[in-house]
Coordinates of all heavy atoms in Angstrom, one line a residue:
M1262 N 27.2 1.4 3.0 CA 28.2 1.3 2.0 C 28.4 2.6 1.3 O 27.6 3.5 1.3 CB 27.7 0.3 0.9 CG 28.0 -1.2 1.3 SD 27.6 -2.2 -0.1 CE 27.6 -3.7 0.8
K1263 N 29.6 2.8 0.7 CA 29.9 3.9 -0.1 C 29.0 4.0 -1.3 O 28.9 3.0 -2.0 CB 31.4 3.9 -0.4 CG 31.9 5.1 -1.1 CD 33.4 4.9 -1.4 CE 33.9 6.1 -2.3 NZ 35.2 5.9 -2.6
P1264 N 28.6 5.2 -1.6 CA 27.7 5.3 -2.8 C 28.6 5.0 -4.1 O 29.7 5.3 -4.1 CB 27.3 6.7 -2.9 CG 27.4 7.2 -1.5 CD 28.5 6.4 -1.0
L1265 N 27.9 4.3 -5.0 CA 28.7 3.9 -6.3 C 28.4 5.0 -7.4 O 29.1 5.0 -8.4 CB 28.1 2.5 -6.8 CG 28.7 1.4 -6.0 CD1 28.2 0.0 -6.6 CD2 30.2 1.3 -6.0
M1266 N 27.4 5.9 -7.1 CA 27.2 6.9 -8.1 C 27.2 8.3 -7.3 O 26.9 8.2 -6.2 CB 25.8 6.7 -8.7 CG 25.6 5.5 -9.5 SD 24.0 5.3 -10.2 CE 24.1 6.2 -11.7
R1267 N 27.3 9.3 -8.0 CA 27.1 10.6 -7.6 C 26.6 11.5 -8.6 O 26.8 11.3 -9.8 CB 28.4 11.2 -6.9 CG 29.4 11.6 -8.0 CD 30.6 12.3 -7.3 NE 31.5 12.7 -8.3 CZ 31.5 13.8 -9.0 NH1 30.6 14.7 -8.7 NH2 32.4 14.0 -9.9
R1268 N 25.8 12.5 -8.2 CA 25.1 13.3 -9.2 C 26.2 14.4 -9.5 O 26.9 14.9 -8.6 CB 23.9 14.0 -8.6 CG 22.8 13.1 -8.4 CD 21.6 13.9 -8.0 NE 20.5 13.0 -7.6 CZ 19.7 12.4 -8.4 NH1 19.8 12.5 -9.8 NH2 18.7 11.6 -8.0
V1269 N 26.3 14.8 -10.8 CA 27.1 15.8 -11.2 C 26.3 17.2 -11.1 O 27.0 18.3 -11.1 CB 27.7 15.6 -12.6 CG1 28.7 14.5 -12.5 CG2 26.6 15.4 -13.7
R1270 N 25.1 17.1 -11.1 CA 24.2 18.2 -11.0 C 23.0 17.8 -10.3 O 22.4 16.8 -10.6 CB 24.0 18.7 -12.3 CG 22.9 19.8 -12.6 CD 22.8 20.3 -14.0 NE 22.1 19.4 -14.9 CZ 20.8 19.3 -14.9 NH1 20.1 20.2 -14.1 NH2 20.1 18.6 -15.8
V1271 N 22.5 18.6 -9.4 CA 21.2 18.3 -8.7 C 20.0 18.7 -9.7 O 19.9 19.8 -10.1 CB 21.0 19.1 -7.4 CG1 19.7 18.8 -6.7 CG2 22.2 18.6 -6.4
P1272 N 19.1 17.7 -10.0 CA 18.1 18.0 -10.9 C 17.0 18.9 -10.2 O 16.9 18.9 -9.0 CB 17.5 16.6 -11.2 CG 17.9 15.7 -10.1 CD 19.1 16.3 -9.5
S1273 N 16.3 19.6 -11.0 CA 15.3 20.5 -10.5 C 14.0 19.6 -10.4 O 12.9 20.2 -10.0 CB 15.0 21.7 -11.4 OG 14.8 21.3 -12.7
A1274 N 14.0 18.4 -10.8 CA 12.8 17.5 -10.7 C 12.3 17.4 -9.3 O 13.1 17.5 -8.3 CB 13.1 16.2 -11.3
R1275 N 11.2 17.0 -9.2 CA 10.5 16.8 -7.8 C 11.2 15.7 -7.0 O 11.5 14.7 -7.7 CB 9.0 16.5 -8.0 CG 8.2 16.3 -6.8 CD 6.7 16.3 -7.2 NE 6.3 15.0 -7.8 CZ 5.7 14.0 -7.3 NH1 5.4 14.0 -6.0 NH2 5.5 12.9 -7.9
V1276 N 11.3 15.8 -5.8 CA 11.9 14.8 -4.9 C 10.8 13.8 -4.5 O 9.7 14.2 -4.1 CB 12.6 15.4 -3.7 CG1 13.0 14.4 -2.7 CG2 13.7 16.4 -4.0
L1277 N 11.2 12.6 -4.6 CA 10.3 11.5 -4.3 C 10.7 10.9 -3.1 O 11.9 10.7 -2.7 CB 10.3 10.5 -5.4 CG 10.0 11.0 -6.8 CD1 10.2 9.9 -7.9 CD2 8.6 11.7 -7.0
Q1278 N 9.8 10.3 -2.2 CA 10.1 9.6 -1.0 C 9.7 8.2 -1.1 O 8.5 7.9 -1.4 CB 9.4 10.2 0.2 CG 9.6 11.7 0.4 CD 11.0 12.0 0.8 OE1 11.8 11.1 1.4 NE2 11.6 13.2 0.5
L1279 N 10.7 7.3 -1.0 CA 10.5 5.9 -1.1 C 11.0 5.2 0.2 O 11.5 5.9 1.0 CB 11.2 5.2 -2.3 CG 11.0 5.6 -3.8 CD1 11.5 7.0 -4.1 CD2 11.7 4.8 -4.7
T1280 N 10.8 3.9 0.3 CA 11.4 3.3 1.4 C 12.2 2.0 0.7 O 11.8 1.4 -0.2 CB 10.5 2.7 2.5 OG1 9.6 1.7 2.0 CG2 9.7 3.9 3.1
W1281 N 13.3 1.7 1.4 CA 14.2 0.6 1.1 C 14.4 -0.2 2.4 O 15.1 0.4 3.3 CB 15.5 1.1 0.5 CG 16.5 -0.1 0.2 CD1 17.7 -0.2 0.8 CD2 16.4 -1.1 -0.7 NE1 18.3 -1.3 0.3 CE2 17.5 -1.8 -0.7 CE3 15.4 -1.4 -1.7 CZ2 17.7 -2.9 -1.5 CZ3 15.6 -2.5 -2.5 CH2 16.7 -3.3 -2.4
N1282 N 13.9 -1.4 2.4 CA 14.0 -2.2 3.6 C 13.6 -1.5 4.9 O 14.2 -1.6 5.9 CB 15.5 -2.7 3.8 CG 15.8 -3.8 2.7 OD1 14.9 -4.4 2.2 ND2 17.1 -3.7 2.3
G1283 N 12.5 -0.7 4.7 CA 11.9 0.1 5.8 C 12.6 1.4 6.1 O 12.2 2.1 7.0
R1284 N 13.6 1.8 5.3 CA 14.3 3.1 5.7 C 14.0 4.0 4.5 O 13.7 3.6 3.4 CB 15.9 2.8 5.6 CG 16.3 1.9 6.8 CD 17.9 1.7 6.8 NE 18.5 1.4 5.6 CZ 18.7 0.1 5.2 NH1 18.3 -0.9 5.9 NH2 19.3 -0.1 4.1
P1285 N 14.0 5.3 4.9 CA 13.7 6.2 3.8 C 14.7 6.3 2.7 O 15.9 6.1 2.9 CB 13.8 7.6 4.5 CG 13.8 7.3 6.0 CD 14.2 5.9 6.2
L1286 N 14.3 6.4 1.5 CA 15.1 6.5 0.3 C 14.7 7.6 -0.6 O 13.5 7.7 -0.9 CB 15.1 5.2 -0.4 CG 15.9 5.1 -1.8 CD1 17.4 5.2 -1.5 CD2 15.5 3.8 -2.5
R1287 N 15.4 8.5 -1.0 CA 15.1 9.7 -1.8 C 15.5 9.4 -3.2 O 16.4 8.8 -3.6 CB 15.8 11.0 -1.3 CG 15.2 11.5 0.0 CD 16.0 12.6 0.4 NE 16.4 13.5 -0.7 CZ 16.3 14.9 -0.6 NH1 16.1 15.5 0.5 NH2 16.7 15.5 -1.7
A1288 N 14.6 9.9 -4.1 CA 14.9 9.9 -5.5 C 14.4 11.1 -6.1 O 13.7 11.9 -5.5 CB 14.2 8.7 -6.2
H1289 N 14.8 11.4 -7.4 CA 14.2 12.6 -8.1 C 13.3 12.0 -9.2 O 13.7 10.9 -9.8 CB 15.3 13.4 -8.6 CG 15.9 14.4 -7.7 ND1 16.9 13.9 -6.9 CD2 15.7 15.7 -7.3 CE1 17.3 14.9 -6.1 NE2 16.5 16.0 -6.3
E1290 N 12.2 12.6 -9.6 CA 11.5 12.2 -10.7 C 12.3 12.0 -11.9 O 13.2 12.8 -12.2 CB 10.4 13.3 -10.9 CG 9.1 12.7 -11.4 CD 8.0 13.8 -11.4 OE1 8.3 15.0 -11.7 OE2 6.9 13.4 -10.9
G1291 N 12.2 10.9 -12.6 CA 13.0 10.5 -13.7 C 14.2 9.5 -13.3 O 14.7 9.0 -14.2
D1292 N 14.4 9.4 -12.0 CA 15.4 8.4 -11.6 C 15.0 7.1 -11.7 O 13.7 6.8 -11.4 CB 15.9 8.7 -10.1 CG 16.7 9.9 -9.9 OD1 17.2 10.4 -10.9 OD2 16.9 10.2 -8.7
T1293 N 15.7 6.1 -12.0 CA 15.3 4.7 -11.8 C 15.5 4.3 -10.3 O 16.2 4.9 -9.6 CB 16.2 3.7 -12.7 OG1 17.6 3.8 -12.2 CG2 16.1 4.1 -14.2
V1294 N 14.9 3.1 -10.0 CA 15.1 2.6 -8.7 C 16.6 2.4 -8.4 O 17.1 2.8 -7.3 CB 14.2 1.4 -8.5 CG1 14.7 0.7 -7.1 CG2 12.8 1.7 -8.5
L1295 N 17.3 1.8 -9.4 CA 18.7 1.6 -9.2 C 19.5 2.9 -9.0 O 20.4 2.8 -8.2 CB 19.3 0.7 -10.5 CG 20.7 0.3 -10.2 CD1 20.8 -0.6 -9.1 CD2 21.2 -0.5 -11.5
T1296 N 19.2 3.9 -9.8 CA 19.9 5.2 -9.5 C 19.7 5.6 -8.0 O 20.7 6.0 -7.4 CB 19.4 6.3 -10.5 OG1 19.6 5.8 -11.8 CG2 20.0 7.6 -10.2
A1297 N 18.5 5.5 -7.5 CA 18.3 5.9 -6.2 C 19.0 5.1 -5.2 O 19.6 5.6 -4.2 CB 16.8 5.9 -5.9
L1298 N 19.1 3.8 -5.4 CA 19.7 2.9 -4.6 C 21.3 3.2 -4.5 O 21.9 3.3 -3.5 CB 19.5 1.5 -4.9 CG 18.1 0.9 -4.6 CD1 17.9 -0.5 -5.2 CD2 17.7 0.9 -3.1
L1299 N 21.8 3.3 -5.7 CA 23.3 3.5 -5.8 C 23.8 4.8 -5.3 O 24.8 4.9 -4.6 CB 23.8 3.2 -7.2 CG 23.6 1.8 -7.7 CD1 24.1 1.7 -9.2 CD2 24.2 0.7 -6.9
L1300 N 22.9 5.8 -5.5 CA 23.3 7.2 -4.9 C 23.2 7.2 -3.4 O 24.0 7.8 -2.7 CB 22.2 8.2 -5.4 CG 22.5 8.6 -6.8 CD1 21.2 9.5 -7.4 CD2 23.7 9.5 -7.0
A1301 N 22.4 6.3 -2.8 CA 22.2 6.2 -1.3 C 23.3 5.2 -0.7 O 23.2 4.9 0.4 CB 20.8 5.7 -1.1
G1302 N 24.1 4.6 -1.6 CA 25.0 3.7 -1.0 C 24.5 2.3 -0.7 O 25.1 1.5 0.0
E1303 N 23.3 2.0 -1.4 CA 22.6 0.6 -1.2 C 23.0 -0.2 -2.3 O 23.4 0.3 -3.4 CB 21.1 0.8 -1.0 CG 20.7 1.8 0.1 CD 20.8 1.1 1.5 OE1 21.1 -0.1 1.5 OE2 20.6 1.8 2.5
R1304 N 22.7 -1.5 -2.2 CA 22.8 -2.5 -3.3 C 21.6 -3.2 -3.4 O 21.0 -3.6 -2.4 CB 24.0 -3.4 -3.0 CG 25.3 -2.8 -2.7 CD 25.9 -2.1 -3.9 NE 27.2 -1.5 -3.6 CZ 27.4 -0.3 -3.2 NH1 26.3 0.5 -2.9 NH2 28.6 0.2 -3.0
P1305 N 21.2 -3.5 -4.6 CA 19.8 -4.1 -4.9 C 19.8 -5.5 -4.4 O 18.7 -6.0 -4.0 CB 19.6 -4.0 -6.4 CG 20.9 -3.8 -7.0 CD 21.8 -3.1 -6.0
R1306 N 20.8 -6.3 -4.4 CA 20.7 -7.7 -4.0 C 22.0 -8.3 -3.6 O 23.1 -7.7 -3.8 CB 19.9 -8.5 -5.1 CG 20.9 -8.7 -6.3 CD 20.3 -9.6 -7.3 NE 21.2 -10.1 -8.3 CZ 21.9 -11.2 -8.2 NH1 21.7 -12.0 -7.2 NH2 22.8 -11.5 -9.2
L1307 N 22.0 -9.4 -3.1 CA 23.2 -10.2 -2.8 C 23.4 -11.4 -3.6 O 22.3 -12.0 -4.2 CB 23.2 -10.6 -1.3 CG 23.0 -9.6 -0.3 CD1 22.8 -10.2 1.1 CD2 24.1 -8.6 -0.3
T1308 N 24.6 -11.9 -3.9 CA 24.8 -13.1 -4.8 C 24.3 -14.3 -4.0 O 24.3 -14.3 -2.8 CB 26.3 -13.2 -5.1 OG1 27.0 -13.3 -3.9 CG2 26.8 -12.0 -5.9
L1309 N 24.0 -15.3 -4.8 CA 23.5 -16.5 -4.3 C 24.5 -17.2 -3.5 O 24.1 -17.7 -2.4 CB 22.9 -17.3 -5.5 CG 22.3 -18.7 -5.2 CD1 21.0 -18.4 -4.2 CD2 21.8 -19.4 -6.3
G1310 N 25.7 -17.4 -4.0 CA 26.7 -18.2 -3.3 C 27.3 -17.6 -2.0 O 27.2 -18.0 -1.0
E1311 N 28.0 -16.4 -2.3 CA 28.7 -15.8 -1.2 C 27.9 -14.8 -0.5 O 28.4 -14.3 0.6 CB 29.9 -15.2 -1.8 CG 30.8 -16.0 -2.6 CD 31.9 -15.3 -3.3 OE1 32.0 -14.1 -3.5 OE2 32.8 -16.0 -3.9
G1312 N 26.8 -14.3 -1.0 CA 26.0 -13.2 -0.3 C 26.7 -11.9 -0.5 O 26.5 -11.0 0.4
A1313 N 27.5 -11.8 -1.5 CA 28.2 -10.5 -1.8 C 27.3 -9.6 -2.4 O 26.4 -9.8 -3.2 CB 29.4 -10.8 -2.8
P1314 N 27.4 -8.3 -2.1 CA 26.5 -7.2 -2.7 C 26.7 -7.1 -4.2 O 27.8 -7.1 -4.7 CB 26.9 -6.0 -1.9 CG 28.3 -6.2 -1.4 CD 28.3 -7.7 -1.3
R1315 N 25.6 -6.9 -5.0 CA 25.6 -6.6 -6.3 C 25.0 -5.2 -6.6 O 24.2 -4.8 -5.8 CB 24.7 -7.7 -7.1 CG 25.2 -9.1 -6.8 CD 26.5 -9.4 -7.5 NE 26.5 -9.1 -9.0 CZ 27.5 -9.0 -9.8 NH1 28.7 -9.3 -9.3 NH2 27.4 -8.7 -11.0
A1316 N 25.5 -4.6 -7.7 CA 25.0 -3.3 -8.0 C 24.4 -3.2 -9.4 O 24.4 -2.1 -9.9 CB 26.2 -2.3 -7.9
G1317 N 24.0 -4.2 -10.0 CA 23.5 -4.2 -11.3 C 24.7 -4.3 -12.2 O 25.9 -4.2 -11.8
F1318 N 24.6 -4.7 -13.5 CA 25.6 -4.8 -14.4 C 25.5 -4.1 -15.7 O 26.2 -3.2 -16.0 CB 25.9 -6.3 -14.7 CG 27.0 -6.7 -15.6 CD1 28.3 -6.4 -15.2 CD2 26.8 -7.1 -16.9 CE1 29.4 -6.8 -16.0 CE2 27.8 -7.4 -17.7 CZ 29.1 -7.2 -17.4
C1319 N 24.3 -4.5 -16.5 CA 24.2 -3.8 -17.7 C 23.5 -2.5 -17.7 O 23.7 -1.8 -18.6 CB 23.3 -4.8 -18.6 SG 21.6 -4.9 -18.1
L1320 N 22.7 -2.2 -16.6 CA 22.0 -1.0 -16.4 C 21.0 -0.8 -17.6 O 20.5 0.4 -17.8 CB 22.9 0.2 -16.3 CG 24.0 0.1 -15.2 CD1 24.8 1.3 -15.1 CD2 23.4 -0.4 -13.9
M1321 N 20.5 -1.8 -18.3 CA 19.7 -1.5 -19.5 C 18.6 -2.7 -19.4 O 17.9 -2.9 -20.5 CB 20.3 -1.5 -20.7 CG 21.2 -2.6 -21.1 SD 22.0 -2.3 -22.6 CE 22.2 -3.9 -23.3
G1322 N 18.4 -3.4 -18.4 CA 17.3 -4.4 -18.4 C 17.6 -5.7 -19.1 O 16.7 -6.5 -19.3
A1323 N 18.9 -6.0 -19.2 CA 19.2 -7.3 -19.9 C 19.8 -8.4 -19.0 O 19.6 -9.5 -19.3 CB 20.2 -7.0 -21.1
C1324 N 20.5 -8.1 -18.0 CA 21.3 -9.1 -17.3 C 20.7 -9.6 -16.1 O 21.1 -10.6 -15.7 CB 22.7 -8.4 -16.8 SG 22.5 -7.3 -15.4
Q1325 N 19.6 -9.0 -15.6 CA 18.9 -9.5 -14.5 C 19.7 -9.5 -13.1 O 19.5 -10.3 -12.3 CB 18.3 -10.9 -14.7 CG 17.5 -10.9 -16.0 CD 16.7 -12.2 -16.2 OE1 16.2 -12.7 -15.2 NE2 16.6 -12.6 -17.4
D1326 N 20.5 -8.6 -13.1 CA 21.4 -8.6 -11.8 C 21.0 -7.5 -10.8 O 21.6 -7.2 -9.9 CB 22.9 -8.1 -12.3 CG 23.9 -8.4 -11.2 OD1 23.7 -9.3 -10.4 OD2 24.8 -7.6 -11.1
C1327 N 19.8 -6.9 -11.1 CA 19.2 -5.9 -10.2 C 17.9 -6.1 -9.7 O 17.1 -5.1 -9.4 CB 19.4 -4.6 -11.0 SG 18.3 -4.4 -12.3
W1328 N 17.5 -7.3 -9.6 CA 16.1 -7.6 -9.1 C 15.9 -7.1 -7.7 O 16.8 -7.3 -6.8 CB 15.8 -9.2 -9.1 CG 15.6 -9.8 -10.4 CD1 16.5 -10.7 -11.0 CD2 14.5 -9.6 -11.3 NE1 15.9 -11.1 -12.2 CE2 14.8 -10.4 -12.4 CE3 13.4 -8.8 -11.3 CZ2 13.9 -10.5 -13.5 CZ3 12.5 -8.7 -12.4 CH2 12.8 -9.6 -13.5
V1329 N 14.7 -6.4 -7.5 CA 14.3 -6.1 -6.1 C 12.9 -6.5 -6.0 O 12.3 -6.9 -7.0 CB 14.6 -4.6 -5.8 CG1 16.1 -4.2 -5.9 CG2 13.7 -3.7 -6.8
Q1330 N 12.3 -6.3 -4.9 CA 10.9 -6.6 -4.7 C 10.2 -5.4 -4.1 O 10.7 -4.6 -3.4 CB 10.7 -7.8 -3.7 CG 11.3 -9.1 -4.3 CD 11.1 -10.2 -3.3 OE1 11.4 -10.1 -2.1 NE2 10.4 -11.3 -3.8
T1331 N 8.9 -5.4 -4.4 CA 8.1 -4.3 -3.7 C 7.7 -5.0 -2.4 O 7.8 -6.3 -2.2 CB 6.8 -4.1 -4.5 OG1 5.9 -5.3 -4.5 CG2 7.0 -3.5 -5.9
A1332 N 7.2 -4.2 -1.4 CA 6.8 -4.8 -0.1 C 5.7 -5.9 -0.3 O 5.5 -6.7 0.5 CB 6.4 -3.6 0.8
A1333 N 4.9 -5.7 -1.4 CA 3.9 -6.6 -1.7 C 4.4 -7.9 -2.4 O 3.6 -8.9 -2.7 CB 2.8 -5.9 -2.6
G1334 N 5.7 -8.0 -2.7 CA 6.2 -9.2 -3.2 C 6.4 -9.2 -4.7 O 6.9 -10.2 -5.3
K1335 N 6.0 -8.2 -5.4 CA 6.2 -8.2 -6.9 C 7.7 -7.8 -7.2 O 8.3 -6.9 -6.6 CB 5.3 -7.0 -7.4 CG 5.5 -6.9 -8.9 CD 4.7 -5.8 -9.5 CE 4.9 -5.6 -10.9 NZ 4.3 -4.4 -11.5
R1336 N 8.3 -8.6 -8.0 CA 9.7 -8.4 -8.4 C 9.8 -7.4 -9.5 O 8.9 -7.4 -10.4 CB 10.4 -9.7 -8.6 CG 10.0 -10.4 -9.9 CD 10.8 -11.7 -10.0 NE 10.7 -12.2 -11.4 CZ 11.4 -13.1 -11.9 NH1 12.4 -13.6 -11.1 NH2 11.3 -13.5 -13.1
L1337 N 10.9 -6.7 -9.6 CA 11.0 -5.7 -10.6 C 12.6 -5.5 -10.8 O 13.4 -5.7 -9.9 CB 10.3 -4.4 -10.4 CG 10.6 -3.7 -9.1 CD1 11.7 -2.8 -9.0 CD2 9.3 -2.9 -8.8
R1338 N 12.9 -5.1 -12.1 CA 14.3 -4.8 -12.3 C 14.5 -3.3 -11.9 O 13.9 -2.4 -12.4 CB 14.6 -4.9 -13.8 CG 14.8 -6.3 -14.2 CD 15.1 -6.4 -15.7 NE 15.4 -7.6 -16.2 CZ 14.3 -8.3 -16.9 NH1 13.2 -7.7 -17.2 NH2 14.6 -9.5 -17.3
A1339 N 15.5 -3.2 -11.0 CA 15.7 -1.7 -10.5 C 16.2 -0.8 -11.6 O 15.9 0.4 -11.5 CB 16.7 -1.8 -9.3
C1340 N 16.9 -1.3 -12.5 CA 17.6 -0.4 -13.6 C 16.6 0.0 -14.6 O 16.9 1.0 -15.3 CB 18.7 -1.2 -14.3 SG 18.2 -2.4 -15.4
S1341 N 15.4 -0.6 -14.8 CA 14.5 -0.2 -15.8 C 13.1 0.1 -15.2 O 12.2 0.2 -15.9 CB 14.4 -1.4 -16.8 OG 13.9 -2.6 -16.2
T1342 N 13.1 0.5 -13.9 CA 11.9 0.8 -13.2 C 12.1 2.2 -12.7 O 13.0 2.4 -11.9 CB 11.5 -0.1 -12.1 OG1 11.4 -1.4 -12.7 CG2 10.2 0.3 -11.4
L1343 N 11.3 3.1 -13.2 CA 11.3 4.5 -12.6 C 10.8 4.6 -11.2 O 9.8 3.8 -10.9 CB 10.5 5.4 -13.5 CG 11.0 5.7 -14.9 CD1 10.0 6.6 -15.6 CD2 12.4 6.4 -14.8
A1344 N 11.5 5.2 -10.4 CA 11.0 5.5 -9.0 C 9.8 6.3 -9.0 O 9.5 7.1 -9.8 CB 12.2 6.3 -8.2
R1345 N 8.9 5.8 -8.1 CA 7.6 6.5 -7.9 C 7.5 6.9 -6.4 O 7.9 6.2 -5.5 CB 6.5 5.6 -8.3 CG 6.4 5.4 -9.8 CD 5.1 4.6 -10.2 NE 4.8 3.5 -9.3 CZ 5.3 2.3 -9.4 NH1 6.1 2.0 -10.4 NH2 4.8 1.3 -8.5
D1346 N 6.9 8.0 -6.2 CA 6.7 8.5 -4.8 C 5.9 7.4 -4.1 O 4.8 6.8 -4.5 CB 5.9 9.8 -4.8 CG 6.2 10.7 -3.6 OD1 7.2 10.6 -3.0 OD2 5.3 11.5 -3.3
G1347 N 6.3 7.1 -2.8 CA 5.6 6.2 -2.0 C 6.0 4.7 -2.2 O 5.4 3.8 -1.5
M1348 N 6.8 4.4 -3.2 CA 7.2 3.0 -3.4 C 7.8 2.4 -2.1 O 8.6 3.0 -1.4 CB 8.2 2.9 -4.5 CG 7.8 2.9 -5.9 SD 9.2 2.7 -7.0 CE 8.6 1.3 -7.9
E1349 N 7.5 1.2 -1.8 CA 8.1 0.4 -0.6 C 8.8 -0.7 -1.2 O 8.1 -1.6 -1.7 CB 7.0 -0.1 0.3 CG 6.2 1.1 1.0 CD 5.1 0.6 1.9 OE1 4.7 -0.5 1.8 OE2 4.6 1.5 2.7
L1350 N 10.1 -0.7 -1.2 CA 11.0 -1.7 -1.8 C 11.7 -2.5 -0.7 O 12.1 -1.9 0.2 CB 11.9 -1.0 -2.8 CG 11.1 -0.2 -3.9 CD1 12.2 0.7 -4.6 CD2 10.5 -1.1 -4.8
V1351 N 12.0 -3.7 -1.1 CA 12.9 -4.5 -0.2 C 13.9 -5.2 -1.1 O 13.6 -5.6 -2.3 CB 12.0 -5.5 0.6 CG1 11.1 -4.8 1.6 CG2 11.2 -6.5 -0.3
S1352 N 15.0 -5.5 -0.5 CA 16.0 -6.4 -1.2 C 15.6 -7.8 -1.1 O 14.9 -8.2 -0.1 CB 17.4 -6.2 -0.6 OG 17.4 -6.4 0.8
A1353 N 16.0 -8.6 -2.0 CA 15.7 -10.1 -2.0 C 16.8 -10.7 -1.2 O 18.0 -10.3 -1.4 CB 15.5 -10.6 -3.4
Q1354 N 16.6 -11.7 -0.6 CA 17.7 -12.6 0.0 C 18.2 -13.4 -1.0 O 17.5 -13.8 -2.1 CB 17.1 -13.4 1.2 CG 16.5 -12.6 2.2 CD 17.6 -11.7 2.9 OE1 18.7 -12.1 3.3 NE2 17.3 -10.3 3.0
P1355 N 19.5 -13.9 -0.9 CA 20.0 -14.8 -2.0 C 19.2 -16.0 -2.3 O 18.7 -16.6 -1.3 CB 21.4 -15.1 -1.3 CG 21.7 -14.1 -0.3 CD 20.4 -13.7 0.2
G1356 N 18.9 -16.2 -3.5 CA 18.1 -17.3 -3.9 C 16.6 -17.1 -3.9 O 15.8 -17.9 -4.4
E1357 N 16.0 -15.9 -3.4 CA 14.6 -15.6 -3.5 C 14.2 -15.3 -4.9 O 13.0 -15.6 -5.1 CB 14.3 -14.5 -2.5 CG 14.1 -14.9 -1.1 CD 13.6 -13.7 -0.2 OE1 13.5 -12.6 -0.7 OE2 13.1 -14.0 0.8
I1358 N 15.1 -14.6 -5.6 CA 14.6 -14.2 -7.0 C 15.5 -15.0 -7.9 O 16.6 -14.6 -8.2 CB 14.7 -12.8 -7.2 CG1 13.8 -12.0 -6.3 CG2 14.4 -12.4 -8.6 CD1 13.9 -10.5 -6.3
P1359 N 15.0 -16.1 -8.5 CA 15.7 -16.9 -9.5 C 16.0 -16.1 -10.8 O 15.2 -15.3 -11.1 CB 15.0 -18.1 -9.7 CG 13.6 -17.8 -9.4 CD 13.7 -16.6 -8.3
C1360 N 17.2 -16.3 -11.4 CA 17.4 -15.9 -12.7 C 16.5 -16.6 -13.6 O 16.1 -17.8 -13.4 CB 18.8 -16.0 -13.2 SG 19.9 -15.1 -12.2
T1361 N 15.8 -15.9 -14.6 CA 15.0 -16.5 -15.5 C 15.5 -16.4 -16.9 O 16.3 -15.5 -17.2 CB 13.5 -15.9 -15.4 OG1 13.7 -14.5 -15.7 CG2 12.9 -16.2 -14.1
Ligands
FES129 S1 21.4 -4.1 -14.2 FE1 21.1 -5.6 -15.8 S2 19.0 -5.9 -15.8 FE2 19.3 -4.4 -14.3

């Protein structure tokens, strides 16, 4: 997919290596998981009904539109979670992460 974000300036922060659904995903220190996903043209989840890609909505931890999971099954909000080196993340299938 086409990236929904682009950097206006490349940060001097350290580059982090994560994985998304088993594929390499780069981030810079200080990026949220959602920033890394949208810069890479990825989407954090699909809608329950249509399976349409979602990209987050509020970007501040309030709407719950950006749930993703760690490879170990822990769910987290991509917009309010800082990327960490070595993170292994997977998208949730529609219906796997209920709204709470
Ligand atoms: S985008 Fe709204 S909670 Fe993450």
Side-chain angles (χ1 to χ4, degrees):
M1262 276 189 195
K1263 183 178 173 186
L1265 288 180
M1266 297 178 84
R1267 71 176 178 86
R1268 291 189 189 279
V1269 293
R1270 168 177 83 77
V1271 177
S1273 58
R1275 185 169 68 103
V1276 174
L1277 309 175
Q1278 302 294 332
L1279 299 72
T1280 63
W1281 174 245
N1282 293 328
R1284 298 185 306 273
L1286 177 70
R1287 288 174 42 140
H1289 285 84
E1290 212 164 46
D1292 286 348
T1293 65
V1294 168
L1295 187 60
T1296 299
L1298 290 172
L1299 297 181
L1300 284 168
E1303 301 287 351
R1304 303 296 183 268
R1306 70 179 192 90
L1307 303 175
T1308 58
L1309 182 59
E1311 301 171 355
R1315 300 293 302 170
F1318 181 71
C1319 71
L1320 309 182
M1321 58 183 211
C1324 75
Q1325 306 189 39
D1326 198 32
C1327 65
W1328 287 115
V1329 298
Q1330 293 179 308
T1331 65
K1335 180 182 176 190
R1336 70 182 196 164
L1337 52 86
R1338 286 186 178 96
C1340 74
S1341 57
T1342 302
L1343 290 177
R1345 293 188 314 272
D1346 208 27
M1348 279 180 123
E1349 295 177 342
L1350 302 166
V1351 295
S1352 56
Q1354 297 302 309
E1357 274 189 344
I1358 299 179
C1360 291
T1361 54

